[in-house]
Structures are given as structure tokens and as C-alpha cells.
Amino acid sequence: MFHFSFKGLTFDSPLLAASGTFGYGDEVADLIDINQLGGIMTKSVTLHPREGNPPPRIAETPAGMLNSIGLANPGVDSFIREILPRLSALETAVFINIAGSTLQEYVEVLDKLEKTDAFYAGYEINISCPNVKRGGMAFGIDPRTTERLTRRLRERTDKCLVMKLSPNVTRIEDIAAAAEAGGADALSAINTVVGMGIDIEKRTPLLHTVTGGLSGAAIKPIALAQVYKISRSAKLPLIGLGGISNYKDVIEFILAGADLVQIGTLNFKQPAAAVRIREELEAWCLKNNIANLHDLKGEMVSSC
Amino acid sequence: MFQEKCRVTSIIQRSTALWEVSLLSPAISAASRPGHFVNLLPSDDWSPPMRRPMSIAAVSGDIFRIIFKIVGSGTEKMRSWKPGHLVDCIGPLGNTWTDYDAYFPLLVGGGVGIAPIQFLHEDLTAGRIRHSLIAGALTSGEHLFKHDPDSGVWLTTDDGSCGISGNVIMGLKKAIAKIPEKSEALKIFCCGPPAMNRAVGEFALQAGIRCDISVETVMACGTGICQGCAIELQQIASELPIYRQHFALACKDGPIFRAELLF
């Protein structure tokens, strides 16, 4: 039904779990067979433990949600000690998502992980978090900074290096090109879209940080357009995400140029969404006589 | 933790403000203890986009009950459920009430927060554990119980239409005055709207009474993944993982917290 390989990794499902929507894989282990997933992008790991932003951190919006978690996580040392051994035992491809406030922090986290003998596929580098004061998205809105960070990390690992891009830029294809020039193995797009909401009775913002990141079905058309733009210019494998709700959305992303996709906010509603969608994709491929769904990559036909 | 499509076996209006849904799930029912909640999906599409956390209000056999108040699009959808409707539920989730056999339990519930209090009340009653129940509401029609101080059930109403006229603090004081136990032998178990929780928490801290409070927050996943349901604690909770000692998660570290952590 699906087959795609790059950088020595083989995927028989196009569906990966997006960072921040699947924890470190153990929270919902009762509810889903994790090895049925194409892969997991972990919750972001930073050099030091981070307590995250004050509440409120989330709010519902039409067909989506705003979040401003602020990269709350136990820090890389605790991650290596307590979480990584378990992730290392999974059959599915695990990508450790790394975030940092400075270039040096990204490097130090990666170095610490490289020194372990744990088994995992590689890294997804978060250069697109809109919810932290320092770092985060700052690395993903300027092509020179993106290229410098990518190169520094590339020099230090042979594992798969995926750069996660922000939609909150004028030309995402320039950031994609910079990551490619820096030596990335793949790109993932998009992270959340900057958004906000206000409680009109209290006249207060819905989120403590005022602005946050919008996700869910509401952003799918934005994500699709960004993936399409990247795929027209970059040669690297591309992992599309943003508001995927069902198998039709997955096929749209592949037609727009994605090699793989990630399920994000949908996991909060349906922890086993990726397993269900995989079954739906299999049925659709069977019905349409498609041996490998990946063959549809970029196969959108111009209508005029 | 289980995820099941639970069949609605009944849906009734319990008071002018509260609705009760009975859901069939042998697995969730068997695993549920007082204090637990389920995270249910009002709709399969994106309206509304998130699940809704609901405290378990009772368990009998294979059926568990939840109580809700209509506050928005999710609960509006829930009111239209009919028997036979299938509801996607994840649960039981969160922590549970503890230490109710080591102290004299004072149960305090207000509004829709009566749900986890009712479950504990039924559990204590079944276990023949002596306790008092104080329930607060705006007016008599919102109450699920009968005012019966001799059996330890104290109702309060803001408008004085039944029970004690006033808030739950007045009910608590009367309930405490009627029992012989001293402050250090008491423990309050409380769930209600934020202002009530604060008033009860501050009363307990001042009176030197142990107090656990179940909080309500907006939640997405309910399982600790999204970290959206953070509660800012007033003291460092050293028993929690280091990054959650200041901002704890209502879904996983709670929803029940010691009053001194909250106020």
C-alpha cells in the first residue's frame, strides 16, 4: 500500500505522530499499537528542564485550537535517563525533536544524545515554535540562521536530520532551501500558525501569552499550500503536516508533494487516529488499484 | 485506561441545572474510583474540536454516570443524545480521592462539581463510613439531595429557598459544629466552581483542616500529552516530575490537589 525509503529508513505507513501530540509514546500505549505508526516525532527536548508557560495554555477555536505550552519538558538528561531506553525498544522510527534558545543549546542537546548508544532514527529540529520568548521560531524565519544551525548539527550527526519549518514566514521555500544547503536530510512542514483569541466579556486574551499557535483542521489549507510551495523548489524528502483529519487529507498532502505526513492535533481527539487512517488508505488504494501510495507524490494535475 | 464507544442507556434532567447520562462500559466502570474522570468526544467532526473532561458521578455494575451542565457547544450537543447513542470515552483518568478512611470526611460539592462528590458519598455510604455532605447551589431546584442534617446531608442555597441560606462555608461550619471530631481529625473533599474552591480551600487552611480539591480546567488530550491543562501551584510540589512542580497538569497530576498547593 505504501513504501518509501530515504537515508536508510523504510516506511510502510506514511503516517507519523507529530511532535507535542504524542508525548514520548508511553502516555497512550494502552490505546494504540505504536508500532503500527510510520514513526513518532517526540515532544520537544531542551537542554534544561522547562516548566512551560503559565495557564491558560490552550483554547478552542473554530475547527482548531490555539496552544502556547512553551516547550514544557523534563530536559535532555532526564530524557536520556528515563525515556530514551523505552523509545529505543520501539520498532517504529523515532525522531527526537530538539528545541533550543540558542544555537549552542541545540548543539549540546544533540551531542548528549549522540553520546548514548540508544537506537533511534534521527532528529526533528524545531526551528518553528511560536510560543517561546527566545529561540524557537527565530531560527526558522531567517534563511542564514537556518542554514548555520542545520550545518552545525549536520557536522555532528550521521543520523537522519529533519528540519521542521514555520509557516509564519514570507517565503517558506527560502527557509527550505537554506536547510537543504545546510545538509538536512528531510523537511517537515508546517508548525502551528500564529494566532490569538479574546474573551470579549472579560476583555482578556484566551492564552496567557496572548498569541499562540493555531492547529487542527482550520490550518489544513495553509499547510497544504506551504507543502506545495516547498515541494516545487526543494529536492529533499518532505513530511507534510497541518490539520490532517482523515485519509483524504493524507492523499491531498501527497499529491501536493509530501513523501510522508504527520498527524497532530487529531491525536488529542483520537489517539489511534493514525491506525484508523492507515486502514482507510489501504482500502482506498485497493479500490483505486494503487500499489504504492507514494507514487502519487506531486502528481496533482493542473486543471488549466 | 480504556477507550470505548459507550452506549447511552439513559439521559435525564436531574435538576433545573444538571443533566445525567448513563453510559455502558464494563471496562471503564470496573476501573473507576471516586475522583476519576473520563474524556469524552461530543462529536466526531471538529465541532467542537476537543474532548470534554467529565467527572464520574456514579458507577453501578457495567454502567457509569456523568453529570453535566449546559455551558457551550459541547454540552449543548450532549443534551441531544438519546439512549442507544454511542459516545467515544477515554477513561478512567486522573487521580482519586484518598485517605477518607483515616479522617472524618467532609464532602463539599457545588454546581456541576457535585459529580465526583456524589460518587465519593455513595462509596462511603456503601462502605458505612460516617461522613458529612455539604452541597451548595443558587436555588433549591438545582439540588440533587434532600437537606437532612441528622443524616449528615447539609444543603445551602444562595436564595435561601432550601436548607441553609448562604454558601457552603456556612454549611461546613454547621456540619463541623455537629460532630465531635477536632480539626486535625477532619478532611475536606471539595469540588465546585473556582470561587467556591478558593473559599473552601482558604477556610480549610485557616482552620487547620486537611483539604483536597478537584479542579476543573479546559483540557484537550486528558492523558498528559498536550500539557494544555496546566494549573499554577502556589508551592513547589516536590512529589511531581521537576518540570511540573510549578505548573502541574490537571489531567495527570490532578484533577485533585491539596489545598495548600492551590491557594
Side-chain angles (χ1 to χ4, degrees), chain A residues 21-23 27 30-31 50-52 54-55 57-58 60-61 63-65 69 72-74 217 245 268-271, chain B residues 1-3 41 43-46 48-52 88 90 218-221 223 225-228 230 243 246-247:
Chain A
T21 69
F22 212 72
E27 288 87 345
D30 290 352
L31 308 182
R50 284 184 65 105
E51 66 176 25
R57 291 179 173 178
I58 54 172
E60 267 188 333
T61 58
M65 67 182 271
I69 308 301
N73 82 94
S245 304
F268 298 148
K269 287 159 59 98
Q270 289 297 358
Chain B
M1 186 198 310
F2 304 94
Q3 180 176 12
L41 196 61
S43 123
D44 274 330
D45 57 20
W46 289 87
M50 291 184 194
R51 285 180 178 263
R52 294 289 183 269
D88 184 331
I90 297 176
V218 175
M219 224 176 250
C221 71
T223 57
I225 288 177
C226 74
Q227 311 209 23
Y243 71 107
H246 180 208
F247 296 126

Side-chain angles (χ1 to χ4, degrees), chain B residues 196-220:
Chain B
M196 191 195 103
N197 285 345
R198 175 175 286 277
V200 171
E202 286 173 351
F203 167 81
L205 293 175
Q206 242 170 19
I209 300 173
R210 282 174 185 77
C211 178
D212 284 354
I213 294 176
S214 181
V215 299
E216 188 181 8
T217 56
V218 175
M219 224 176 250

Side-chain angles (χ1 to χ4, degrees), chain B residues 156-204:
Chain B
T156 70
T157 47
D158 287 10
D159 67 359
S161 54
C162 83
I164 299 160
S165 178
N167 60 28
V168 292
I169 299 295
M170 300 173 74
L172 249 178
K173 285 179 178 167
K174 292 211 172 187
I176 291 169
K178 201 166 174 178
I179 51 174
E181 278 84 352
K182 297 261 183 300
S183 300
E184 57 272 21
L186 305 175
K187 182 168 177 182
I188 295 173
F189 301 85
C190 172
C191 183
M196 191 195 103
N197 285 345
R198 175 175 286 277
V200 171
E202 286 173 351
F203 167 81

